[in-house]
Amino acid sequence: FISTKFLLSCFLSFIYFFKENYNQVLNKFYSQNLAKGNYQKAAKILEIVANKANRFQSFSDDLKFKIDDFNKKYASKIEDEKNLWFVSVFCGQYYANKGQFEKAIESFKQLEQVQVTDYESCYFKASNWMRIAWCNFNLGQQDLAIEYNLKALELLKQTDQKDVLGSVYFYIY
């Protein structure tokens, strides 16, 4: 049994590497779901594409506009806030990639209210604090960078993410 989420991820990953069709296919699939009122699926499409953009450090103004537009018009229609975390992460990474670390921190800090209730939220919040630490480091604010890395460290100790834990130790020392 192959899940729809897996197939959608594979499909969008595939088209991501063939950029001449990428925007056309993304826009069609995304628009179809919005037209049908399937805001959850439209959010999932954007989340998958945003995660791929983050992974490959490929930030387009078009995708940023599409995510901002979705956030303004449709975010209120998404019941579980976890399904919108990608918005702040993508925007933060987008700004950090442009060297606009203050704006990146603003985007990442929108996620500070995330409550740690399970493994996913624990790992997510720790990763977000690491992003804020990295931005502070780039701004020359080492004390704040260390403070956020220490927050991340405490949460990561509750997970099995040893590779990420190692990254925090590396940045602290």
Side-chain angles (χ1 to χ4, degrees), residues 116-151:
V116 175
T117 58
D118 56 16
Y119 180 90
E120 180 184 14
S121 59
C122 182
Y123 176 73
F124 180 82
K125 191 160 191 169
S127 298
N128 199 57
W129 279 339
M130 288 173 58
R131 292 181 193 101
I132 293 170
W134 183 76
C135 289
N136 279 306
F137 176 80
N138 281 287
L139 290 170
Q141 299 170 340
Q142 279 67 29
D143 289 344
L144 281 174
I146 290 171
E147 177 185 328
Y148 276 96
N149 271 320
L150 289 173
K151 287 180 178 186

Side-chain angles (χ1 to χ4, degrees), residues 53-160:
N54 284 336
R55 178 172 291 134
F56 297 113
Q57 297 291 297
S58 177
F59 303 99
S60 72
D61 294 333
D62 182 55
L63 181 56
K64 169 79 166 66
F65 175 79
K66 193 177 298 308
I67 289 172
D68 284 342
D69 187 59
F70 180 87
N71 197 36
K72 288 176 192 158
K73 293 179 180 175
Y74 307 108
S76 63
K77 299 178 186 301
I78 305 298
E79 292 179 23
D80 187 352
E81 70 176 22
K82 284 182 179 183
N83 296 323
L84 293 172
W85 289 349
F86 78 92
V87 172
S88 295
V89 172
F90 176 83
C91 292
Q93 293 293 101
Y94 173 88
Y95 290 126
N97 191 58
K98 293 184 174 291
Q100 299 174 355
F101 297 107
E102 292 93 351
K103 282 182 138 181
I105 290 170
E106 285 177 32
S107 291
F108 295 138
K109 282 192 170 187
Q110 291 175 8
L111 297 167
E112 282 191 319
Q113 82 281 358
V114 169
Q115 298 298 311
V116 175
T117 58
D118 56 16
Y119 180 90
E120 180 184 14
S121 59
C122 182
Y123 176 73
F124 180 82
K125 191 160 191 169
S127 298
N128 199 57
W129 279 339
M130 288 173 58
R131 292 181 193 101
I132 293 170
W134 183 76
C135 289
N136 279 306
F137 176 80
N138 281 287
L139 290 170
Q141 299 170 340
Q142 279 67 29
D143 289 344
L144 281 174
I146 290 171
E147 177 185 328
Y148 276 96
N149 271 320
L150 289 173
K151 287 180 178 186
L153 184 63
E154 287 307 309
L155 285 179
L156 286 170
K157 287 179 181 178
Q158 300 172 37
T159 72
D160 61 355

Side-chain angles (χ1 to χ4, degrees), residues 28-40:
K28 181 179 178 185
F29 197 49
Y30 174 73
S31 297
Q32 285 174 347
N33 280 287
L34 287 181
K36 293 176 186 175
N38 194 341
Y39 306 113
Q40 186 64 44

